[in-house]
Amino acid sequence: MADSTPKADPAIPEMDVSGPRDPFRWLEDRDSPHTRSWLAVQQTLLDRHARREQESEAAWRHFLAEIETSAAGRLLAPPVEAGGALFRHELTQDGGELLSFSGIDSPSRVLLNTSGHASVSRLVGWQPDPTGHVVAAQLHHDGHENGGLHLIPVGQGEEPRQLSDASPHPAVAFLDGLLLYSSGTRTEHALRAHHLGDGSTRTVELPVAGPARLALHAGAEEHLLLRTRASGTSSVRWWCTRWSGRCTPDWQPLPFEDLHVTAIALGTDQLYVAGHHRDLFAVDLSRAARGDVARPIPLASPADSDITGDIRALRILGSRTDPHLAVLRQSGTVRRLDIRRVAEAADVPADTEADEAPGPGFTWPARLRLGPISYDRDGTPGDSFWFLADDPQYGALSHRVTARAPGGPASRQSTLRMLTATSPDGTTVPITICDPPTRPRHELAPTLVTVYGGFGVPLEPSWDPIFAAWLAAGGRIAWVHARGGGEFGSDWAAAGRGPGKSDTVDDLCAAARTLQAEGETGPGQLAALAASNGGLVLSAALVRAPSLFSAVACAAPLTDMARYHEGGLGKLWREEYGDPTGPQALRALLKYSPYHHVRDGDAYPAALFITGGNDARVRPWHAWKLCAALQEATCGEMPILLDHQENTGHYGRAGGDARSLSARVLALLATRTGLGTPPVGQPSVPAPPTRSAT
């Protein structure tokens, strides 16, 4: 008789009445003497390893300094034109950030420089008002995702202001002499209006009751667009009004519930909306503001030749009587920018396929960001905007777009190519590859893999000092576009959500094996680097297939998926991962939870876990618990290390601290993949400053 006793799923760790086994739970109490003692031991291990790797780390630090010096002036965001002046956000030579403007009638001036301060600061968001007289900027200090807005005057002799009640990563919009912004916490916002003239501030009534997260868009003719998301839910609603700031706004609901909006453009008379089914719609703003809201009018999509993916951004160009619509689409990591007269789109039924040849446009195989529409000297909307195109090897390219000149330089060639892997369930997983300039395309090379695979966020190839150094030293880079990311639309993102996150881990493992099978990299030449959700995916791959990588570096990873909702922003992520308080969801989480799949006696590769004491998103104990478990379990001789710094946060370190950490990461990964040490004093192949075309 067959044994009818249910068999335990080997992919699910054993549990008792108190839940899954958790031998290092005590590390969650970061202030306990036991934890502080353990952290001191980890610092000793790290220092000891640094002494052994001193020569290698010094060489990489020198190499990085050359690259960062040559990258000074590289744009960190698209330029912005406001009030006839040009605003630029640039990288400084020491890794700081600089915000400057150059006016028509005034000399160039530095508005903000984060270099040389005792507190490490990051400029995480900024926006000039349409007249170019003031910039609203948010700074984060020492890894804290601080709230508060700085109002930086452009004119000489004016004193800056600070709005201390602004929320972290606030919604911001300028409207007729007012700065509108969200105040409160990260997830529970109120709407505030600050008068730029007299400095008074008041609360603006919202169309919803209870806490909500806000997004704002302001346009000409006093039109204001508001998006509300109920706190703790994915329920999104859209509202519009025509508001002068002198009374209570008359918010009118917009019927966008079924559109799944991916992009909007707020014009003088029309609101243009893109939905996730690649459709375009128009809304008459004047009628909508009066409450006369019909269904959005479908428009014909612009002909865009080789790119048919979701619309990621919209901009309105040209005159009020003859507007043009700039449409940025994404398919995988390839982005295509096209411009078409709105009248042409409106005259053709939405279900009509355009058979005309596409007009001039710009296709780019990596990250491509659009800046806001320009504003003339009197603060009226202009007819241009800037984009910023990233290249992992050669830095960035900026270009000013008008309705008459939409494309970037035709001579610009990409350094990227594509490869595909097949996951165990048969899913095709794309991989973007950047070859080193010093090796033939198909020659074996130490390869650095990176991944994200979560929250519908696309993993897009871009320039980074670590990547630039790896490439210049002769290594190859591979971006794995695993399920859960936003590269291939909402279905791809949903496939890596909840129980599908285990498939995301399979995607990474399959991509790594394909890189070896296809002759991109040889035995022992594969390393990996990832952060946050990507650090979770990489950590899970590390314990699922310990022999796959020779070395890994994980920054701010989630690792204990049975307790990810405890602390940080974990309670906001149930939609992405599932609710661990439910038995079925917990089983799905434990199927890939890195901390729960560490096995005694396995030989684990060299690993470096990187954490910050001020990380408000992912608590550092996630990495600490996995590090401790691996150190106890491994039978190998490879180092398992922790690099923790108290005054840093989720977005990592800056300045000299960032360079030292990058050198440590490169030394660990390069030594164990055979990349070697860059020769000190020899010329590198650094990324040049941003090139601009007008």
Side-chain angles (χ1 to χ4, degrees):
M1 179 174 170
D3 185 1
S4 60
T5 304
K7 298 294 191 298
D9 185 344
I12 308 297
E14 293 183 4
M15 292 188 286
D16 55 30
V17 292
S18 62
R21 187 169 173 269
D22 190 1
F24 294 100
R25 169 80 67 89
W26 52 270
L27 281 171
E28 295 182 20
D29 183 359
R30 61 188 295 175
D31 295 321
S32 73
H34 198 182
T35 298
R36 306 315 297 180
S37 175
W38 183 84
L39 288 173
V41 170
Q42 298 309 308
Q43 186 61 51
T44 299
L45 293 175
L46 187 68
D47 292 341
R48 188 181 302 161
H49 180 267
R51 286 193 294 271
R52 288 197 299 267
E53 301 285 334
Q54 184 174 5
E55 185 175 337
S56 176
E57 287 190 19
W60 282 109
R61 197 158 42 245
H62 178 83
F63 203 53
L64 285 163
E66 289 182 346
I67 288 172
E68 292 170 6
T69 297
S70 67
R74 179 184 183 275
L75 284 171
L76 299 173
V80 177
E81 293 181 49
L86 183 67
F87 294 80
R88 293 171 60 91
H89 180 195
E90 304 172 7
L91 187 69
T92 64
Q93 183 171 324
D94 62 354
E97 299 175 66
L98 183 146
L99 182 63
S100 66
F101 95 105
S102 53
I104 298 174
D105 302 324
S106 56
S108 299
R109 179 172 168 231
V110 173
L111 302 176
L112 179 70
N113 190 341
T114 66
S115 302
H117 295 282
S119 173
V120 177
S121 302
R122 290 184 181 274
L123 179 57
V124 294
W126 60 276
Q127 182 178 330
D129 80 299
T131 64
H133 290 151
V134 66
V135 176
Q138 186 166 80
L139 292 165
H140 290 172
H141 305 287
D142 291 332
H144 292 289
E145 296 186 43
N146 317 74
L149 276 172
H150 297 266
L151 297 185
I152 306 171
V154 172
Q156 296 278 10
E158 300 180 53
E159 291 297 320
R161 303 177 192 171
Q162 185 164 8
L163 304 175
S164 58
D165 63 333
S167 62
H169 308 281
V172 171
F174 289 97
L175 183 71
D176 195 26
L178 295 174
L179 168 64
L180 304 175
Y181 66 94
S182 59
S183 68
T185 67
R186 182 191 302 271
T187 59
E188 298 185 359
H189 294 163
L191 180 58
R192 302 275 281 167
H194 177 80
H195 196 284
L196 295 174
D198 62 25
S200 61
T201 303
R202 65 186 179 92
T203 300
V204 180
E205 185 175 323
L206 293 173
V208 293
R213 300 170 68 179
L214 308 179
L216 292 168
H217 303 271
E221 306 293 335
E222 300 178 339
H223 288 295
L224 182 63
L225 191 69
L226 175 71
R227 187 191 71 188
T228 60
R229 178 173 179 174
S231 182
T233 75
S234 58
S235 174
V236 172
R237 298 185 68 185
W238 291 85
W239 313 82
C240 73
T241 189
R242 193 169 184 178
W243 188 55
S244 65
R246 290 184 291 272
C247 57
T248 299
D250 182 19
W251 297 108
Q252 298 295 329
L254 292 169
F256 290 173
E257 290 80 6
D258 300 328
L259 296 187
H260 303 286
V261 176
T262 61
I264 68 161
L266 191 57
T268 303
D269 305 306
Q270 297 284 327
L271 168 65
Y272 299 98
V273 183
H276 83 299
H277 290 301
R278 307 168 185 175
D279 296 323
L280 275 172
F281 301 89
V283 175
D284 186 311
L285 284 171
S286 297
R287 290 181 58 187
R290 296 193 304 266
D292 182 12
V293 183
R295 295 295 301 171
I297 301 171
L299 301 179
S301 298
D304 54 1
S305 66
D306 53 341
I307 300 299
T308 58
D310 286 347
I311 297 173
R312 294 298 185 182
L314 295 170
R315 300 289 185 271
I316 301 173
L317 296 170
S319 67
R320 182 172 183 171
T321 57
D322 186 24
H324 289 65
L325 199 59
V327 181
L328 181 68
R329 292 184 181 272
Q330 177 177 352
S331 178
T333 62
V334 178
R335 297 204 173 198
R336 168 80 181 187
L337 177 65
D338 283 284
I339 297 177
R340 186 172 179 179
R341 291 181 62 238
V342 172
E344 293 175 357
D347 292 340
V348 182
D351 57 357
T352 300
E353 294 196 14
D355 53 6
E356 61 187 89
F362 184 64
T363 301
W364 192 248
R367 185 168 61 169
L368 178 66
R369 290 171 286 166
L370 307 189
I373 287 295
S374 64
Y375 284 86
D376 296 333
R377 299 185 69 177
D378 60 356
T380 58
D383 63 351
S384 66
F385 65 88
W386 289 75
F387 70 60
L388 189 65
D390 243 317
D391 185 285
Q393 190 167 130
Y394 296 114
L397 171 77
S398 64
H399 181 76
R400 187 173 186 264
V401 175
T402 68
R404 297 172 299 280
S411 61
R412 193 69 179 88
Q413 297 296 316
S414 170
T415 59
L416 304 176
R417 58 187 175 88
M418 297 298 296
L419 185 70
T420 58
T422 302
S423 212
D425 65 356
T427 300
T428 298
V429 181
I431 309 166
T432 301
I433 294 175
C434 187
D435 295 307
T438 56
R439 291 178 187 259
R441 175 171 173 172
H442 292 297
E443 180 180 304
L444 292 176
T447 298
L448 178 58
V449 172
T450 190
V451 69
Y452 189 74
F455 296 93
V457 175
L459 177 69
E460 298 177 300
S462 58
W463 186 89
D464 180 273
I466 286 182
F467 291 164
W470 187 272
L471 289 166
R476 181 170 283 127
I477 309 281
W479 291 263
V480 176
H481 306 294
R483 280 171 281 186
E487 295 93 323
F488 298 96
S490 57
D491 291 343
W492 188 256
R497 195 177 295 137
K501 195 66 69 183
S502 184
D503 296 328
T504 303
V505 180
D506 280 343
D507 292 349
L508 174 58
C509 294
R513 294 186 178 103
T514 297
L515 289 167
Q516 295 174 327
E518 294 295 322
E520 302 287 349
T521 191
Q525 289 189 312
L526 204 57
L529 169 66
S532 193
N533 181 84
L536 160 65
V537 176
L538 177 55
S539 296
L542 163 69
V543 297
R544 185 171 291 184
S547 62
L548 203 52
F549 299 103
S550 295
V552 301
C554 293
L558 288 166
T559 71
D560 182 351
M561 298 309 291
R563 291 178 57 77
Y564 80 84
H565 60 307
E566 301 288 345
L569 296 184
K571 291 182 179 179
L572 303 179
W573 300 335
R574 288 189 174 96
E575 184 179 349
E576 178 70 19
Y577 298 121
D579 187 349
T581 62
Q584 186 173 354
L586 179 60
R587 286 179 60 83
L589 289 162
L590 291 176
K591 188 174 180 180
Y592 66 89
S593 178
Y595 174 59
H596 298 98
H597 285 274
V598 177
R599 295 180 294 271
D600 289 338
D602 276 0
Y604 290 100
L608 177 65
F609 296 97
I610 302 155
T611 57
N614 294 332
D615 190 338
R617 295 178 179 239
V618 177
R619 290 296 187 225
W621 52 256
H622 277 278
W624 299 353
K625 290 168 73 172
L626 180 58
C627 180
L630 289 171
Q631 288 174 341
E632 183 178 272
T634 187
C635 68
E637 298 180 355
M638 291 295 101
I640 309 291
L641 302 169
L642 173 70
D643 190 329
H644 175 72
Q645 187 167 307
E646 279 294 326
N647 66 336
T648 60
H650 194 72
Y651 289 103
R653 304 171 195 179
D657 288 340
R659 184 181 300 166
S660 295
L661 176 59
S662 296
R664 176 165 294 157
V665 168
L666 285 164
L668 180 81
L669 303 184
T671 299
R672 282 149 189 88
T673 56
L675 184 61
T677 303
V680 176
Q682 295 296 316
S684 64
V685 186
T690 309
R691 285 167 288 181
S692 298
T694 59

